[in-house]
Amino acid sequence: MLASLVLLAVGLVVLVYGADRVVAAGSGLADHAGVSALFVGVTVVAVGSSVPEIATTAYAAVYGAGTLAVGHVVGSATSQITLGVGLVAAVSTLTIPRERLPAYGGGMLAAMAVMLVAAASGTVGRVEGALMCALYLGFLALVAERADFAARASDHDGIHDLRKAALWLVCGLALVLAGGHLLVTEGRAFALAVGVPPYLVGVVTGLGTTVPEIAVALQAVRADEDGIAVGTLFGSNVTDPLFSLGFGATVGTLHVAHVSRVLLAGGYMLAVSAAVVAYFALRPTMGRRVGLLVAALYLPAFLIV
């Protein structure tokens, strides 16, 4: 049991560090392409920082740990919309222009709803997974159509040497794959050893792999790049429910146990997300006090599971 716990922690650290390198490399490459900071946030950084979730669900499909995969995505999405948004707003005022909220906020809520509908049957099959991936590609197409390519993304943190960026992209992905393997296999072993539901383990690891998104968003608002912060936090919450889970289901059917518990936790995830979107619809700027309150909304997630 102790060995599984140690390897679980090692896998989480390797996964997060690898994801950080993927994000930095991808951001640097996007900078060379001359695309906008907002577009980078919602595509390159959001997808790059979701690589841990993508790898985890793929491994979960291979090893028959569908419940852990769903718990991982729910835990990640809940922590991003509460801890992520709340801490960023507490550090520096976070602003979302109203004209961008329907695409990002609406896309996030729709993605979460699709995931819960897919998981409600207890099985997320290959056809459903492929459909979820297709919906995600449709979201990216919508964002790309509305993106402003006039503003370069030169201020975000990334590896700006082209060769180093390409090398770190490959190495980072290798680290993510290795970390994801340890996270799923040892997480399942630890859950069996101590008798806790794999879903709960997934929620905890989901919090751990949210660190890249929160770190990127915090650094972005400090550099007055709200586009990166908003794109990362909201974009990742579209990527994870649709593409991460959909890709895993496409690799191999995901079987979900304890469906009622999954739907309860997923319902809370959707509820707090809707509350955050509603707040930004009324007031496009979130300050410190409200940010701390939003961050505190993460705590009930553990009571539910």
Side-chain angles (χ1 to χ4, degrees):
M1 182 177 70
L2 180 59
S4 294
L5 183 60
V6 171
L7 290 174
L8 176 64
V10 170
L12 185 60
V13 170
V14 171
L15 194 63
V16 170
Y17 179 73
D20 175 73
R21 294 294 83 198
V22 170
V23 170
S27 298
L29 292 173
D31 186 48
H32 278 282
V35 296
S36 69
L38 180 61
F39 186 72
V40 170
V42 80
T43 55
V44 176
V45 181
V47 174
S49 56
S50 293
V51 168
E53 285 79 10
I54 296 171
T56 299
T57 54
Y59 277 118
V62 173
Y63 290 103
T67 305
L68 187 146
V70 175
H72 187 88
V73 171
V74 170
S76 176
T78 304
S79 59
Q80 282 180 63
I81 202 62
T82 53
L83 286 178
V85 170
L87 291 178
V88 168
V91 170
S92 177
T93 301
L94 183 63
T95 301
I96 302 181
R98 280 197 173 96
E99 65 271 15
R100 293 171 182 169
L101 189 61
Y104 299 150
M108 177 183 67
L109 296 178
M112 292 176 174
V114 168
M115 179 186 72
L116 294 180
V117 170
S121 64
T123 301
V124 185
R126 284 190 167 91
V127 174
E128 291 171 304
L131 179 60
M132 292 165 76
C133 291
L135 289 174
Y136 179 67
L137 293 178
F139 169 76
L140 288 185
L142 176 64
V143 170
E145 183 181 357
R146 299 184 178 184
D148 177 14
F149 289 90
R152 289 181 60 84
S154 58
D155 290 334
H156 68 270
D157 185 30
I159 301 173
H160 297 290
D161 181 273
L162 191 58
R163 291 183 180 179
K164 288 183 179 179
L167 178 61
W168 269 116
L169 185 63
V170 175
C171 293
L173 287 172
L175 289 173
V176 164
L177 292 174
H181 174 77
L182 285 174
L183 193 68
V184 172
T185 56
E186 299 305 325
R188 185 177 63 172
F190 179 75
L192 292 173
V194 300
V196 300
Y199 179 77
L200 179 57
V201 177
V203 170
V204 174
T205 58
L207 170 61
T209 54
T210 303
V211 172
E213 286 92 338
I214 296 177
V216 169
L218 284 172
Q219 187 167 357
V221 294
R222 287 175 180 173
D224 295 325
E225 286 284 5
D226 279 13
I228 290 284
V230 172
T232 300
L233 294 171
F234 281 69
S236 293
N237 272 0
V238 179
T239 304
D240 293 339
L242 283 182
F243 187 73
S244 297
L245 199 70
F247 180 76
T250 304
V251 171
T253 300
L254 296 173
H255 298 284
V256 184
H258 310 293
V259 174
S260 60
R261 184 178 297 179
V262 170
L263 294 180
L264 181 60
Y268 181 76
M269 168 196 69
L270 188 58
V272 294
S273 299
V276 170
V277 171
Y279 178 88
F280 280 115
L282 296 174
R283 295 184 178 182
T285 299
M286 181 181 291
R288 178 174 297 178
R289 291 183 179 179
V290 178
L292 292 175
L293 178 60
V294 170
L297 290 176
Y298 179 69
L299 298 177
F302 278 100
L303 299 178
I304 292 174
V305 297

